[in-house]
Amino acid sequence: MAKTVPAHPDSAPLSPDATTAVLSEADLSLAAQIRSQKLTYLSERKLAALAATCRLLETRAVPGAFIEAGCALGGSSILIASVKATDRPLFVHDVFGMIPPPGEQDTPEVHARYQQIVDGQSKGIMGDRYYGYVADLQTVVRHNFERFGIRLEERSVSLVPGLVQDTLHPAGPVAFAHIDVDWYDPVKTCLERIFPHLSVGGRIVLDDYNAWGGCLKATDEFLRSIPGQYRCDNSAGPMHIEKVRD
């Protein structure tokens, strides 16, 4: 369960709600459909904020690929793929199976949550089967894209299976990253490897900043290492980070 966390000391207004004016009725309808089909844990408000951020980056022509790390059943990836430019690459990183174990830097509630999962006691989205228990999850995610009319190759979308520690190596500029990998080690890996490639004006969204202690710890440690290069806002729950200089 998410907990109340004070605003980050470097927080500045980056409110996701302020950008939702760039969304069309079709965008909002798509977010609602993704929720109704139980393809994401994200609320419609969080989905709208993601879509609005991607639309804003397209409008500003911020160069680089889009990345999602941790996609579950693909709901947020489907939304991102739908609002980005067709030729802008979207790399979707996931183990496409059982979530990896947390590490020594993760907090007690994280380890308790993981134990619940491995014990087979985790509930899925809106009471469905937990996605980590689904066989051949990568094929399921691909089919979910196709249900929304998205052919991966035609929309420049790549599914990248494996641990981000093994697979995430950006080769060029990055405009946007949605990091939803829960635990300390993968979050730290994502930040350390993505931020150096993030274009000025590009954004990173960390969904679990206010939810899991390992994500919060990894993010705060990383941000302390890059003073003056970013502005951030965690007032709406997820942490939004914008790069302001190299």
Side-chain angles (χ1 to χ4, degrees):
M1 181 178 294
K3 55 184 178 294
T4 302
V5 177
H8 189 276
D10 294 325
S11 184
L14 260 183
S15 172
D17 291 334
T19 64
T20 55
V22 303
L23 295 181
S24 66
E25 287 297 323
D27 293 332
L28 297 173
S29 176
L30 176 60
Q33 289 178 54
I34 289 169
R35 281 281 298 164
S36 69
Q37 295 192 28
K38 304 180 183 180
L39 298 183
T40 181
Y41 286 98
L42 302 186
S43 65
E44 286 187 33
R45 181 186 179 197
K46 286 185 176 181
L47 288 172
L50 279 182
T53 299
C54 294
R55 287 280 189 209
L56 192 66
L57 295 172
E58 292 288 3
T59 299
R60 294 177 176 175
V62 176
F66 284 5
I67 294 172
E68 177 159 75
C71 75
L73 290 167
S76 52
S77 296
I78 291 167
L79 183 65
I80 294 166
S82 298
V83 301
K84 74 174 185 66
T86 301
D87 59 351
R88 189 192 291 268
L90 168 61
F91 298 99
V92 181
H93 292 259
D94 201 285
V95 294
F96 296 105
M98 180 64 74
I99 189 170
E104 294 181 357
Q105 297 295 325
D106 284 294
T107 47
E109 84 280 0
V110 169
H111 289 273
R113 168 61 176 151
Y114 180 71
Q115 192 60 51
Q116 180 189 48
I117 292 170
V118 298
D119 287 345
Q121 301 302 311
S122 181
K123 299 292 185 182
I125 299 167
M126 301 181 196
D128 273 3
R129 187 182 186 196
Y130 176 63
Y131 69 90
Y133 305 149
V134 175
D136 196 6
L137 185 57
Q138 185 171 344
T139 297
V140 172
V141 170
R142 177 181 284 271
H143 287 165
N144 287 339
F145 271 92
E146 292 172 352
R147 286 165 53 196
F148 281 82
I150 299 172
R151 296 187 178 277
L152 300 184
E153 294 77 11
E154 293 175 3
R155 292 288 304 184
S156 306
V157 178
S158 300
L159 303 184
V160 186
L163 298 171
V164 291
Q165 294 93 319
D166 298 331
T167 66
L168 181 60
H169 301 282
V174 175
F176 172 76
H178 180 224
I179 299 174
D180 194 2
V181 287
D182 301 350
W183 314 150
Y184 177 94
D185 287 331
V187 169
K188 195 74 174 289
T189 295
C190 288
L191 290 170
E192 290 176 343
R193 295 185 186 174
I194 292 172
F195 192 84
H197 293 271
L198 195 65
S199 298
V200 172
R203 295 195 180 184
I204 295 173
V205 177
L206 293 115
D207 184 66
D208 298 307
Y209 182 78
N210 281 0
W212 301 118
C215 178
L216 184 147
K217 182 178 182 181
T219 303
D220 286 355
E221 288 178 357
F222 180 76
L223 292 179
R224 286 195 293 270
S225 74
I226 54 166
Q229 290 186 255
Y230 70 94
R231 61 185 184 129
C232 67
D233 181 3
N234 68 312
S235 61
M239 172 64 85
H240 288 243
I241 301 168
E242 180 177 29
K243 191 171 192 177
V244 296
R245 68 172 180 83
D246 286 316

